[in-house]
Amino acid sequence: MAQETIFSKILRKEIPADIVYEDDRVTAFRDIHPKAPTHVLIIPNYNIPTANDVSEKDEAVLGHLFIVAAKIAQAEGIAEDGYRLIVNCNKFGGQEVFHLHMHLIGGKPLGMMVV
Ligand code: 5GP
């Protein structure tokens, strides 16, 4: 059983979040410290701690995550100009919350990805 994170509390509506999309498989809400005009986190409704923990059983929900990301980008009006989708993994990836999430970042030119 994966450890609870702050995102579990958001899913259960125990703490507030600016939710922009939710269905039976994924939930999307605005990042509390946005790095760009649009910064949305899209998460599965169950906890996969990191990208290392992904398995075949997660295939459909993670595919759905991409479909929802594209829908939100359209709704935010950033699809045509473009945006960045990021999944951080563990210490070197800069992961802070151990409930797998996709960052959808856009609304300004993001430049080349710096590593
Ligand atoms: P990571 O570094 O794990 O990929 O990203 C975690 C993200 O979650 C960070 O961008 C951080 O600002 C965001 N975050 C952390 N706690 C909360 C919270 O309680 N609410 C919201 N909306 N975002 C959070």
Side-chain angles (χ1 to χ4, degrees):
M1 189 72 176
Q3 286 279 317
E4 286 262 325
T5 73
I6 195 85
F7 291 174
S8 305
K9 292 188 168 66
I10 288 174
L11 287 174
R12 292 199 300 264
K13 312 270 167 57
E14 289 171 8
I15 63 165
D18 186 357
I19 293 175
V20 298
Y21 179 92
E22 59 187 327
D23 64 24
D24 59 331
R25 287 177 282 178
V26 304
T27 300
F29 50 91
R30 295 192 192 281
D31 197 292
I32 203 164
H33 298 304
K35 304 286 190 295
T38 292
H39 188 169
V40 171
L41 303 172
I42 312 162
I43 69 173
N45 288 347
Y46 60 92
N47 190 6
I48 307 166
T50 80
N52 288 334
D53 303 301
V54 167
S55 67
E56 277 71 19
K57 73 172 170 37
D58 307 311
E59 196 170 332
V61 76
L62 294 180
H64 187 58
L65 215 67
F66 269 91
I67 292 168
V68 168
K71 280 186 182 156
I72 296 170
Q74 282 290 346
E76 294 280 313
I78 62 170
E80 193 171 331
D81 282 340
Y83 50 90
R84 188 166 287 156
L85 300 174
I86 300 172
V87 177
N88 294 322
C89 180
N90 275 344
K91 187 170 60 176
F92 279 17
Q95 185 175 6
E96 292 174 348
V97 179
F98 289 84
H99 182 132
L100 189 146
H101 49 280
M102 177 184 279
H103 296 255
L104 164 60
I105 300 172
K108 69 173 188 181
L110 299 171
M112 300 296 287
M113 202 170 83
V114 180
V115 291

